Amino acid sequence: KNKRAIQIILAIILIMILPVYLALILEAHYSDILTMLIVSFPIAFLLGFSNGANDICNSVGTIYGAKIMSLKQVVLWGILFEVLGALTMGHMVAKTISKGIVESEEFDDNPNMFALSMLAVLAGAAITTLAATVYGLPISATHGVIGGLVMCGLVARGSDSIGWGKLGLTALSWVGSPLFGMLMTFILYFIIVRFIKTHPNPSKRSTQLQPAFGLFAVFASVLFILLKGAHLEPLWLCIVIALAASLIVALMLMFFRTKINDAFSHVNLSITERGHREAQINFVPLLIIAAFAMSMAHGANDVGNAVGPLVSILNIYDTGKIEEKVDIPWWGLGIGAVSFAVGIALLGRLTIETVGSKLTELDPMKSFASQLGAGLAVLVSSILGMPVSTSHCMVGSMIGGALANKLVTKSSESLNLGMMKKIIISWFTTIPLAMAAALYFYLGVMGSIAEEQQFIAYLLTTFIYFH
């Protein structure tokens, strides 16, 4: 009954309490910046752990919901592609540490204070993301990072250090992300339902249109990997590569369709209508491509969110200067990849079950539309320079799929409004909780390494913790 509460309490002790007192112990022997560097390693690992566990639902939750693979299978395949993306493309992504939310130039006269802020941001994002994951709620870990950046910037340098324009654009994306994902999936699934599901011979029509959907899905998936994962430039080169890959796959679907679909004939779909099972099977390989493409892109892009601040602190230790953009070294990619894998293996099932089975009913067609719709929303937003959350887009996509199905087929299918309410509440509470956790950590470590502030910091952190 109290399992989740116990997990949260242990997580708070692990992330918030131990590092503060570890810093106090280390300060007796090491410099301020070296102390923060040592403490930042386990905190960065914990952020990668919680980020991987929470975000894995965005890529493989639809596969599980469509009953194409078991929970154990999607977890293992998800780990493989997340790690593959992190290790093969993570080095191509240079991370902007402050994300434009905090003006790093404000800290040029005191790099150690910037390092402390990065440490507090890591802790705040880790605890909020882990808390949401334990309750199976998909959120944006990046929004937790943003909350921590705002709080640490305000405490350390005041309101002038905050990039209010960037913050406003990010806040706008909280509303825009789910709406954009919902719109993309609504259009895509409306087309599928209108021209395939409700057709007199859905199996034949699905077979005829499979190469066209395959072409579109592979083009979008490869472009997603190149732009969102590898951050490859220029745009025209990414388009050419994606187009070539999609044409190859479309030709394979035309000439080797039977062999490809036979490979998935064992899938145990709970569909009894004549012709509908064969129609659904045609979308299984397309869904798998779209899902694992998103998984690779996430591994490549988000590994820097976990270890980027750690690398920034290391640069300050080595050079005494702040670098706004950092390149992730091989050992950083290794730490991030391992933390993702461990997090997915231990807690990933919680959010996968939410997306796959607790929001709405899924089949391969709807899962394909939701997966590709969320990917398209993120892809188009990235090209336009708009900050979006993949988790928010995915949840919006689930709503869009359900609405399209209800509009065309007049079915009685409904969304789990109770679960939807919990998810939306968690979105709105992520940032203030991350701000509070970052403040707690900032004051606690500041108290342990600054003798003149030690007494007040201990009083404040103890009060916040027990409150």
Side-chain angles (χ1 to χ4, degrees):
K1 181 180 178 180
N2 298 315
K3 181 180 178 181
R4 287 179 176 173
I6 293 171
Q7 288 173 327
I8 292 296
I9 292 171
L10 291 175
I12 291 174
I13 293 173
L14 183 65
I15 299 176
M16 306 301 290
I17 306 299
L18 291 182
V20 171
Y21 287 97
L22 179 61
L24 177 63
I25 296 170
L26 292 173
E27 180 56 23
H29 306 284
Y30 302 108
S31 64
D32 292 354
I33 185 62
L34 182 55
T35 296
M36 288 185 282
L37 178 61
I38 294 171
V39 174
S40 66
F41 274 90
I43 299 298
F45 186 91
L46 286 167
L47 177 55
F49 175 96
S50 55
N51 190 356
N54 193 276
D55 281 5
I56 189 62
C57 65
N58 298 324
S59 53
V60 301
T62 52
I63 297 179
Y64 172 69
K67 301 178 177 61
I68 296 170
M69 296 183 186
S70 66
L71 185 58
K72 181 178 180 180
Q73 287 173 323
V74 296
V75 166
L76 292 176
W77 281 106
I79 290 173
L80 174 63
F81 282 95
E82 288 275 346
V83 171
L84 190 62
L87 296 180
T88 59
M89 295 185 291
H91 68 283
M92 303 173 72
V93 182
K95 277 295 173 183
T96 303
I97 297 304
S98 63
K99 298 184 181 296
I101 301 298
V102 172
E103 304 293 342
S104 60
E105 295 83 3
E106 296 286 333
F107 294 84
D108 284 344
D109 62 330
N110 192 346
N112 283 16
M113 183 171 287
F114 185 78
L116 175 57
S117 299
M118 290 299 100
L119 190 58
V121 167
L122 283 172
I127 188 64
T128 51
T129 307
L130 191 59
T133 304
V134 168
Y135 285 91
L137 302 173
I139 65 165
S140 172
T142 303
H143 288 172
V145 170
I146 289 171
L149 285 169
V150 171
M151 176 55 73
C152 291
L154 290 173
V155 173
R157 282 292 186 262
S159 60
D160 290 341
S161 67
I162 307 300
W164 295 106
K166 182 69 172 180
L167 183 61
L169 186 61
T170 303
L172 186 63
S173 75
W174 301 338
V175 178
S177 293
L179 291 178
F180 203 11
M182 181 174 65
L183 176 63
M184 288 291 185
T185 299
F186 179 88
I187 295 172
L188 191 57
Y189 194 55
F190 182 90
I191 293 171
I192 292 174
V193 174
R194 177 68 179 81
F195 293 101
I196 298 178
K197 257 193 169 182
T198 57
H199 191 270
N201 192 339
S203 177
K204 181 180 179 180
R205 178 56 65 90
S206 177
T207 301
Q208 291 172 342
L209 296 178
Q210 187 191 37
F213 278 106
L215 181 103
F216 183 58
V218 173
F219 177 80
S221 298
V222 173
L223 199 59
F224 189 89
I225 291 176
L226 296 177
L227 292 178
K228 189 66 177 176
H231 289 236
L232 187 65
E233 294 180 344
L235 177 60
W236 67 264
L237 178 61
C238 299
I239 293 175
V240 170
I241 295 173
L243 186 58
S246 61
L247 287 172
I248 292 172
V249 172
L251 290 172
M252 291 176 63
L253 289 172
M254 290 175 64
F255 295 105
F256 303 101
R257 178 187 297 114
T258 303
K259 289 185 178 181
I260 294 173
N261 290 342
D262 284 347
F264 300 98
S265 60
H266 66 281
V267 175
N268 185 25
L269 301 178
S270 54
I271 299 172
T272 57
E273 297 93 336
R274 183 178 179 182
H276 280 267
R277 189 181 190 283
E278 291 77 10
Q280 294 280 359
I281 289 294
N282 285 327
F283 282 85
V284 171
L286 309 184
L287 169 60
I288 291 174
I289 291 173
F292 291 147
M294 182 174 284
S295 189
M296 280 192 69
H298 175 267
N301 183 71
D302 278 34
V303 67
N305 291 336
V307 298
L310 167 62
V311 176
S312 179
I313 295 172
L314 178 60
N315 285 339
I316 294 173
Y317 172 74
D318 287 336
T319 66
K321 297 179 181 179
I322 300 171
E323 292 188 21
E324 177 60 19
K325 282 192 175 184
V326 296
D327 294 317
I328 311 300
W330 64 268
W331 56 263
L333 298 177
I335 292 175
V338 172
S339 65
F340 278 6
V342 175
I344 294 169
L346 295 182
L347 295 180
R349 59 180 176 80
L350 299 174
T351 54
I352 291 173
E353 289 176 339
T354 298
V355 170
S357 61
K358 295 182 180 180
L359 288 176
T360 185
E361 295 179 4
L362 292 173
D363 56 36
M365 287 183 181
K366 189 192 292 185
S367 290
F368 168 76
S370 299
Q371 192 70 58
L372 193 57
L376 286 171
V378 175
L379 182 62
V380 174
S381 299
S382 299
I383 294 174
L384 296 177
M386 298 169 54
V388 294
S389 163
T390 306
S391 298
H392 292 191
C393 288
M394 177 55 72
V395 173
S397 292
M398 293 292 174
I399 300 174
L403 291 177
N405 192 54
K406 198 165 187 176
L407 179 65
V408 180
T409 65
K410 310 298 182 182
S411 68
S412 58
E413 174 191 352
S414 62
L415 289 164
N416 184 341
L417 296 180
M419 178 56 68
M420 193 67 66
K421 180 181 177 181
K422 290 180 181 178
I423 292 174
I424 293 174
I425 290 174
S426 72
W427 290 352
F428 281 99
T429 56
T430 294
I431 287 186
L433 286 176
M435 293 174 74
L439 176 64
Y440 173 97
F441 197 86
Y442 183 94
L443 293 175
V445 177
M446 176 68 80
S448 68
I449 65 177
E451 184 177 349
E452 65 275 10
Q453 298 181 13
Q454 188 171 12
F455 179 69
I456 187 171
Y458 281 162
L459 285 179
L460 286 172
T461 53
T462 302
F463 170 76
I464 292 172
Y465 171 67
F466 283 106
H467 181 72

